[in-house]
Amino acid sequence: MTALRFALTPGEPAGIGPDLCLLISRNAQALPLIAIASRDLLEQRAAQLGLAISLIPVSPASWPDAPAEAGSLYVWDTPLRNTVRPGQLDKANAAYVLETLTRAGNGCLEGAFAGMITAPVHKGVINEAGIAFSGHTEFLAELTNTQQVVMMLATRGLRVALVTTHLPLKDVAAAITGERLMRVARILNRDLIDKFGIDRPRILVCGLNPHAGEGGHLGREEIEVIEPALEHLRSEGLDLIGPLPADTLFTPKHLEHCDAVLAMYHDQGLPVLKYKGFGAAVNVTLGLPIIRTSVDHGTALDLAATGKIDCGSLEVALETAYQMAAARTKTH
């Protein structure tokens, strides 16, 4: 790899992803950033936003090794399937969205890109096009032949990974097995070392039940599943603290000396993170052989081409991807 170069995918073309690509290009990036997008779409959206952004064509035959200047954006032109109207979904462009992701993912695997940053997609319209699609994470796992991935959200000062993700609450306890917990914790620990440059990660682990089960009086999952799994992992050298009651774990006393929190389910850990870093959080997919970060918000169709959006989450996603790539380069 001759340069730490990054791919940026704009996601749903009728949403705010194209706007974000243009708005962040008003300022120079620290490293070469290439939007894998329709040049026509970006030109149209720039005109609608009243932005004077120079779109610089690049391709695999002409990758840049220096960042674009402020007010300009490298673009690997990827043709749309149909004209885009801001805020109006069109299933004809579903294949375009997946093509941008495929180009970015393959570019990372081939070493052209040190990582990829994704703007939000609209899962529903892709499925309406007759394409089975459950999200970025699953798509990239299949593209990279990855069996297990872990969802982690981060903001400045806090990282939260999840043992289970989008499950109804009634199904969570059954889904938390010793095998699953150990698999997730190993991926989290490995990627904190490999992609974040942390020599010996210290991970706080939430209990499942209130008060972490209170000695079995409020549930036995901690005693029968979580504690044995953590003990086994500690014997492998992982630095794990817990299981701790989630209502007291997320306090400065505990968080001050940890590198990440492992929460048992979605709404146990993410409300705290989003309260701390709303508008400045990033979604990181762990377990992939590539670096992938994403904004932590949706397509916001109603805000497309209005200019009334905040780039905070994309800025943190870029910053995180750059830091991860630098740490990975140093590690290797």
Side-chain angles (χ1 to χ4, degrees):
M1 187 182 298
T2 58
L4 288 180
R5 191 185 301 118
F6 296 82
L8 173 62
T9 59
E12 168 53 47
I16 62 170
D19 309 48
L20 290 169
C21 295
L22 293 162
L23 288 168
I24 59 99
S25 67
R26 293 177 298 179
N27 300 316
Q29 288 296 315
L31 295 162
L33 180 67
I34 296 159
I36 301 179
S38 162
R39 182 184 173 90
D40 290 342
L41 170 63
L42 293 176
E43 285 181 343
Q44 178 189 46
R45 195 63 59 88
Q48 291 164 334
L49 292 168
L51 294 174
I53 302 296
S54 173
L55 303 177
I56 304 170
V58 297
S59 71
S62 61
W63 292 136
D65 288 327
E69 295 181 356
S72 59
L73 176 66
Y74 293 126
V75 181
W76 183 8
D77 187 30
T78 307
L80 287 164
R81 304 304 197 268
N82 203 4
T83 303
V84 171
R85 294 184 179 181
Q88 296 186 25
L89 296 171
D90 183 349
K91 63 183 181 181
N93 281 320
Y96 157 80
V97 173
L98 298 187
E99 176 64 14
T100 66
L101 295 176
T102 300
R103 286 185 171 189
N106 284 335
C108 289
L109 289 172
E110 294 162 4
F113 306 127
M116 60 185 288
I117 300 95
T118 59
V121 297
H122 194 287
K123 300 174 189 175
V125 74
I126 296 174
N127 283 284
E128 286 174 16
I131 303 169
F133 181 83
S134 54
H136 275 116
T137 302
E138 294 79 6
F139 181 85
L140 292 173
E142 183 175 350
L143 184 70
T144 60
N145 293 314
T146 303
Q147 297 301 313
Q148 178 73 35
V149 293
V150 172
M151 178 179 177
M152 183 177 82
L153 272 76
T155 190
R156 294 179 180 94
L158 180 62
R159 303 182 185 101
V160 178
L162 303 176
V163 177
T164 64
T165 53
H166 300 118
L167 286 179
L169 194 57
K170 65 181 180 63
D171 297 334
V172 168
I176 298 173
T177 63
E179 180 185 2
R180 182 173 194 160
L181 175 54
M182 288 190 288
R183 189 167 60 238
V184 169
R186 289 183 184 119
I187 291 172
L188 172 59
N189 185 73
R190 185 185 68 224
D191 274 14
L192 287 172
I193 296 170
D194 182 53
K195 296 177 181 174
F196 288 86
I198 301 168
D199 291 334
R200 181 169 165 75
R202 188 176 181 84
I203 300 168
L204 302 186
V205 182
C206 296
L208 172 66
N209 297 295
H211 301 178
E214 202 158 288
H217 296 288
L218 294 176
R220 296 193 57 81
E221 286 83 3
E222 285 77 10
I223 295 172
E224 297 175 0
V225 178
I226 299 175
E227 290 177 359
L230 297 187
E231 279 301 310
H232 186 90
L233 291 166
R234 290 186 189 108
S235 72
E236 297 177 2
L238 277 68
D239 187 0
L240 305 172
I241 310 301
L244 299 173
D247 63 343
T248 54
L249 181 156
F250 289 101
T251 55
K253 180 182 73 171
H254 290 294
L255 296 178
E256 185 179 3
H257 302 293
C258 87
D259 297 298
V261 173
L262 183 57
M264 292 295 128
Y265 57 94
H266 188 281
D267 282 13
Q268 182 181 60
L270 298 194
V272 180
L273 185 133
K274 293 190 177 185
Y275 175 77
K276 176 178 174 58
F278 188 73
V282 56
N283 189 334
V284 183
T285 305
L286 304 179
L288 295 173
I290 64 175
I291 289 171
R292 180 257 170 164
T293 66
S294 178
V295 296
D296 183 33
H297 56 70
T299 55
L301 295 168
D302 57 322
L303 297 178
T306 66
K308 300 176 181 178
I309 60 173
D310 188 331
C311 296
S313 184
L314 179 58
E315 289 169 353
V316 176
L318 290 166
E319 176 186 311
T320 302
Y322 297 165
Q323 291 171 348
M324 290 172 69
R328 195 178 200 187
T329 300
K330 185 177 180 181
T331 300
H332 291 279

